[in-house]
Amino acid sequence: MKVHQIPFQETGYFSSLIGDYLSKNQKLSDFYGNFPDLEGFKKQLELKQKSFKVETRKVLVEALINQYNNFNISELTSKNVNKLAGKNTFTVTTGHQLNIFTGPLYFLYKIVSTINLTKLLNAEFPENNFIPIYWMATEDHDFEEINYFNFKGKKVIWNRESSGAVGRLKTEGFDTVFETFSDQLGNSTNANFIKELFKKAYLLNDNLTDATRYLVNELFGEYGLVIIDGDDVLLKKQFVPIVKDEILNKTSFKEVSIANKKLEENYKIQVNPREINLFYLKDNLRERIIFENDFYKVNNTVITFSEEEIIEEIKNYPDRFSPNVIMRPLYQETILPNLCYIGGGGELAYWFQLKNYFKTVNTPFPILLLRNSALLISNKQLVKLEKLNVTLAEIFLKQGDLINKKVKEISKVDIDFSQQKFYLHQQFESLKELAKQTDASFIGAVNAQEKKQLNGLDNLEKRLLKAQKRKLTDEVDRINKLQNELFPTNSLEERTRNFSEIYLEIGEALIPMLLKSLDPLKLEFTIIEY
């Protein structure tokens, strides 16, 4: 196994916002706190240690013990849960939706990044404890985003009606999903492991929250990962003051709107705040809370509250108030002794909008770390790349650009007309000087003729390139096929492919390979040969 890194910015798959963050561009400096390096973590430790209360820790431990009731967990995870009661214990958190069977590969990379960072911090700051946390987005209601995963280019779908928080959905209908999926797996040892894992997760648990907890615990429990469900009345009680403030003062809307106005001078805004960034959550219902005509209304229902009534509702039923994407980060940081949030580029983009809001409600803003990204390339695929003289950096090029580059390289005919264009440009510069000395109105005609002849050279170059592609069809097809294997749907494989495809090949070596290969503070894209 070999590991290579290239800068995220050179892959062509990450935004200018992320590039500016990684390079510490001053344009972004007002939108984050400490940077993800060891000096930044030292400062963040001091910041969080001062602000996080012992009472909050006790509630957290109690809630986690309750959530893990009826689950077999590793000794390390059990120890980590209990360590959270101690004032020298801190967390590193990643979060994700409850995608069926983990969804895309990067789900694994998020958790591996989190585990590896806690290992690094435990070694660097041995007087403290650092615990990896996976936050299950159980309160989300975007069922269409999570009800499938891709396997060998086809969708495996859980078809059913859905309403309310996805974590509360019963696992009815997964027997059909299991039959469809298992038919595609075969009967190898690795295939049988995948079948058993799927069956125990989704056929032996009653709801999607428990199914996901079981699945993730089976994959990562031995590394001490702690899985948390925010849809918990004990935890929601800790968030009551913030919920009241949101209802009465609309603080998040005010502060995030100010941040957005400044941020959008240079970047695209990821999410826009609503006047009230809370949902009302009950049974099969998760709907926005809106304020109209002096009443608080639950959208698309007949439920309404006066100000006095909704404050009473918050007091008696805090679990019925569900934060949206704007407020969920604050909820996490309120109930966890957290130092760092690890997420993808899209997630970090909306976290950058929140720093002012955190400051206003006196909550330390966490370090933001871009999760590890990886391309997994087999020895067989690597040999093919070498035979085609395609480098690891070149494989990230857009397909058309890659083909054009390789055809020009291997063609015996010189397809690059740059030299001819340079000479043509020089000739027309002479003509322009002549026109200035005779008749200035002649310059327009000279410019038009120059453009016409340059366009003619461009067209000739394109026609010659097209002809060479036909002549080199075999090489072109092989490059296309190989890049499509590594970048399905012309995107990073981590965004589409499910871990089960790789597990079929290498089995139980997969997660140890990722843990060994991914360095969370390297801040570069990783290519893993296996």
Side-chain angles (χ1 to χ4, degrees), residues 419-470:
Q419 191 173 22
Q420 289 86 342
K421 291 174 187 176
F422 174 74
Y423 289 144
L424 184 66
H425 180 70
Q426 282 188 320
Q427 289 174 337
F428 273 95
E429 285 299 309
S430 300
L431 284 173
K432 289 173 191 175
E433 286 299 319
L434 182 62
K436 288 178 185 177
Q437 296 171 24
T438 55
D439 184 355
S441 64
F442 186 53
I443 292 178
V446 173
N447 286 334
Q449 190 64 25
E450 180 184 20
K451 185 176 181 181
K452 182 178 178 181
Q453 293 199 28
L454 285 171
N455 286 341
L457 282 175
D458 281 339
N459 288 332
L460 285 173
E461 189 175 22
K462 288 175 184 176
R463 289 182 65 182
L464 183 57
L465 181 59
K466 191 175 181 180
Q468 286 302 103
K469 285 180 184 177
R470 288 196 299 269

Side-chain angles (χ1 to χ4, degrees), residues 136-164:
M136 294 190 291
T138 56
E139 294 179 54
D140 280 2
H141 58 252
D142 296 321
F143 182 66
E144 290 75 18
E145 293 184 8
I146 61 115
N147 72 329
Y148 72 93
F149 63 94
N150 295 305
F151 181 75
K152 295 187 176 180
K154 295 180 181 179
K155 283 188 175 183
V156 179
I157 304 176
W158 181 32
N159 282 315
R160 58 157 295 164
E161 293 295 318
S162 170
S163 62

Side-chain angles (χ1 to χ4, degrees), residues 357-407:
Y357 177 39
F358 272 67
K359 184 178 180 181
T360 300
V361 295
N362 298 311
T363 303
F365 193 68
I367 290 175
L368 302 178
L369 177 61
L370 184 64
R371 65 169 173 80
N372 285 117
S373 283
L375 172 66
L376 307 181
I377 183 167
S378 67
N379 290 328
K380 188 177 179 182
Q381 289 168 326
L382 194 65
V383 169
K384 290 179 181 178
L385 275 182
E386 290 170 350
K387 285 183 178 178
L388 291 165
N389 291 315
V390 177
T391 67
L392 290 174
E394 286 173 334
I395 200 66
F396 285 86
L397 291 170
K398 300 302 180 186
Q399 195 158 88
D401 294 338
L402 176 61
I403 294 300
N404 289 346
K405 187 174 190 292
K406 290 295 129 183
V407 167

Side-chain angles (χ1 to χ4, degrees), residues 150-413:
N150 295 305
F151 181 75
K152 295 187 176 180
K154 295 180 181 179
K155 283 188 175 183
V156 179
I157 304 176
W158 181 32
N159 282 315
R160 58 157 295 164
E161 293 295 318
S162 170
S163 62
V166 294
R168 300 183 179 188
L169 290 175
K170 299 298 182 183
T171 50
E172 298 160 356
F174 265 109
D175 51 348
T176 303
V177 183
F178 175 68
E179 289 174 14
T180 302
F181 182 39
S182 61
D183 285 345
Q184 302 175 53
L185 285 168
N187 290 300
S188 66
T189 301
N190 292 341
N192 288 333
F193 171 83
I194 294 169
K195 290 177 188 177
E196 196 67 13
L197 181 63
F198 190 100
K199 185 191 297 183
K200 288 182 177 178
Y202 295 101
L203 303 190
L204 300 183
N205 285 287
D206 292 333
N207 57 60
L208 196 55
T209 294
D210 288 348
T212 304
R213 184 185 295 275
Y214 176 87
L215 175 65
V216 177
N217 185 61
E218 285 297 302
L219 292 173
F220 293 104
E222 67 180 283
Y223 306 104
L225 182 71
V226 174
I227 303 164
I228 189 167
D229 174 13
D231 188 5
D232 185 296
V233 67
L234 286 176
L235 300 177
K236 288 282 182 74
K237 284 179 181 178
Q238 307 299 300
F239 201 50
V240 163
I242 299 292
V243 173
K244 285 183 180 178
D245 172 69
E246 179 68 8
I247 289 293
L248 298 177
N249 301 315
K250 304 178 178 65
T251 304
S252 66
F253 176 74
K254 295 171 186 175
E255 295 301 326
V256 176
S257 295
I258 293 169
N260 283 2
K261 190 172 182 179
K262 187 175 180 182
L263 192 61
E264 66 185 356
E265 292 174 6
N266 296 296
Y267 308 103
K268 181 181 177 181
I269 296 301
Q270 188 76 2
V271 294
N272 286 299
R274 299 186 182 278
E275 285 199 346
I276 297 175
N277 290 287
L278 291 166
F279 290 92
Y280 190 72
L281 180 66
K282 187 178 178 183
D283 303 324
N284 296 320
L285 174 72
R286 188 179 188 246
E287 288 284 353
R288 289 190 296 117
I289 299 171
I290 56 179
F291 186 66
E292 285 182 354
N293 302 320
D294 295 326
F295 278 89
Y296 296 90
K297 301 178 181 180
V298 178
N299 199 36
N300 295 320
T301 75
V302 296
I303 303 171
T304 61
F305 301 94
S306 66
E307 182 178 297
E308 184 180 341
E309 287 170 339
I310 201 165
I311 296 301
E312 191 68 16
E313 186 82 354
I314 294 168
K315 177 184 175 182
N316 295 329
Y317 306 102
D319 51 314
R320 293 182 182 177
F321 294 82
S322 175
N324 73 356
V325 66
I326 292 289
M327 290 190 67
R328 185 174 61 238
L330 182 60
Y331 179 37
Q332 290 177 195
E333 298 303 312
T334 299
I335 65 174
L336 292 172
N338 198 48
L339 300 180
C340 174
Y341 183 78
I342 297 179
E347 289 176 280
L348 265 54
Y350 68 72
W351 276 84
F352 289 133
Q353 298 172 231
L354 305 178
K355 187 187 174 191
N356 282 352
Y357 177 39
F358 272 67
K359 184 178 180 181
T360 300
V361 295
N362 298 311
T363 303
F365 193 68
I367 290 175
L368 302 178
L369 177 61
L370 184 64
R371 65 169 173 80
N372 285 117
S373 283
L375 172 66
L376 307 181
I377 183 167
S378 67
N379 290 328
K380 188 177 179 182
Q381 289 168 326
L382 194 65
V383 169
K384 290 179 181 178
L385 275 182
E386 290 170 350
K387 285 183 178 178
L388 291 165
N389 291 315
V390 177
T391 67
L392 290 174
E394 286 173 334
I395 200 66
F396 285 86
L397 291 170
K398 300 302 180 186
Q399 195 158 88
D401 294 338
L402 176 61
I403 294 300
N404 289 346
K405 187 174 190 292
K406 290 295 129 183
V407 167
K408 288 178 180 180
E409 284 180 9
I410 62 181
S411 175
K412 294 179 181 178
V413 179

